[in-house]
């Protein structure tokens, strides 16, 4: 939350003498998640990984299952608790960031109007899906290190590599793949201007809309959680 709060504070000191447009407001409210590292989403995903992976890392999964042998109930409880905490922390972070913008600018124009309103709702959904992805990975790999590698490697390196290669004529077959990249698609949930990735000379990625792109990310997370859940019920502790 402090890492996300640093973005509107820095922006306030740097450009508070300029009018606050919706794009700048969105970047301040979500802590720069749309154009940089989504601090809150990443940290909450780590919490999700800890919620399941730490059980194996510290050997507490056996006493946990002894106390609660119904495995599906255990996983559902973890999902509900982590989801509740994620939504609460994200809303609190948004409130703190909004307060910071109000202190520096005195107003946040269009806060309850589209497209900023939809972008902020999308930010909450994005953070929640990101967190559940981490929870699923922690359970799937039955540990913390591998899940952490995937949660950082996939969005920061693999997807950026595919996106960059798609600009090459020899790799233009990757263009239709870009809109199905889960983390990149998820980032469109919190975008104010959904046409920002379209410009002369760029490939036509034919992106889905805000909620269609979010659905791509949600399906990716659901597949991971479902696979982890199924294996958890079949494998030994």
């Amino acid at each position: 939350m402090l890492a996300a709060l640093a973005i509107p504070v820095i922006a306030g000191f740097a450009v508070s003498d300029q009018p606050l447009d919706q794009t700048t407001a969105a970047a301040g409210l979500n802590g720069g998640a749309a154009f940089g590292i989504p601090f809150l989403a990443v940290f909450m995903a780590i919490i999700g990984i800890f919620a399941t992976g730490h059980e194996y890392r510290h050997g507490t999964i056996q006493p946990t299952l002894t106390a609660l042998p119904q495995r599906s109930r255990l996983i559902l409880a973890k999902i509900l608790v982590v989801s509740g905490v994620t939504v609460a922390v994200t809303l609190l972070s948004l409130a703190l960031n909004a307060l910071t913008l109000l202190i520096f600018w005195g107003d946040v124009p269009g806060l309850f109007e589209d497209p900023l309103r939809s972008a902020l709702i999308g930010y909450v959904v994005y953070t929640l899906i990101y967190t559940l992805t981490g929870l699923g990975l922690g359970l799937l790999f039955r540990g913390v290190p591998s899940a952490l590698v995937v949660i950082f490697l996939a969005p920061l390196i693999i997807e950026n590599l595919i996106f960059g290669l798609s600009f090459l004529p020899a790799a233009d077959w990757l263009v239709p793949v870009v809109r199905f990249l889960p983390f990149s698609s998820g980032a469109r949930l919190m975008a104010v201007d959904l046409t920002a990735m379209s410009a002369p000379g760029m490939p036509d990625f034919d992106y889905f809309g805000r909620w269609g792109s979010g659905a791509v990310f949600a399906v990716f997370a659901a597949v991971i959680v479902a696979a982890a859940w199924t294996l958890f019920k079949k494998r030994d502790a």
Side-chain angles (χ1 to χ4, degrees), residues 17 19 30 45 57-58 61-62 103 108 131 136 143 170 177-178 189 196 198 207 221 233:
D17 57 332
N30 63 34
R57 185 176 184 181
H58 295 289
I61 187 63
Q62 291 181 347
I103 292 173
V108 182
T131 303
V177 176
V178 169
L189 280 168
S198 300
Y207 285 114
K233 292 177 65 176

Side-chain angles (χ1 to χ4, degrees), residues 6-227:
I7 301 300
V9 170
I10 293 172
F13 281 111
V15 295
S16 59
D17 57 332
Q18 301 177 16
L20 183 64
D21 57 35
Q22 289 201 333
T23 301
T24 304
L29 290 167
N30 63 34
F35 66 84
I37 297 177
F39 294 110
L40 195 66
V42 169
F43 284 123
M44 292 311 300
I46 294 173
I47 296 297
I49 292 172
F50 287 169
T52 52
H54 261 323
E55 292 270 39
Y56 291 96
R57 185 176 184 181
H58 295 289
T60 60
I61 187 63
Q62 291 181 347
T64 295
L65 289 175
T66 300
L68 185 63
Q70 297 88 352
R71 297 193 174 204
S72 290
R73 185 181 297 181
L74 173 63
I75 296 305
L76 182 59
K78 287 180 180 291
I79 290 174
L80 291 176
V81 171
V82 170
S83 296
V85 171
T86 299
V87 172
V89 170
T90 306
L91 292 177
L92 179 58
S93 176
L94 283 171
L96 291 174
N97 293 353
L99 178 61
T100 303
L101 294 180
L102 287 172
I103 292 173
F104 282 101
W105 273 275
D107 185 28
V108 182
L111 181 60
F112 300 106
E113 301 173 2
D114 283 334
L116 181 56
R117 176 177 56 187
S118 294
L120 295 180
I121 295 173
Y123 173 59
V124 177
V125 175
Y126 171 81
T127 305
L128 177 59
I129 297 173
Y130 212 121
T131 303
L132 292 178
T133 301
L135 183 148
L137 288 171
L139 183 61
L140 184 65
F141 292 116
R142 301 205 289 185
V144 173
S146 298
L148 286 175
V149 169
V150 173
I151 210 72
F152 285 106
L153 189 67
L156 296 180
I157 298 180
I158 296 177
E159 291 195 2
N160 281 333
L161 180 62
I162 294 173
F163 179 77
L165 289 174
S166 68
F167 282 77
L168 301 177
D172 58 0
W173 55 273
L174 287 172
V175 172
V177 176
V178 169
R179 68 173 180 166
F180 293 103
L181 297 177
F183 292 95
S184 301
S185 294
R188 288 176 61 78
L189 280 168
M190 51 189 172
V192 174
D193 183 8
L194 291 173
T195 65
M197 290 304 298
S198 300
M202 287 184 61
D204 182 11
F205 295 115
D206 193 22
Y207 285 114
F208 297 109
R210 183 188 308 280
W211 306 115
S213 296
V216 171
F217 193 24
V219 169
F220 171 75
V223 168
I224 290 177
V225 172

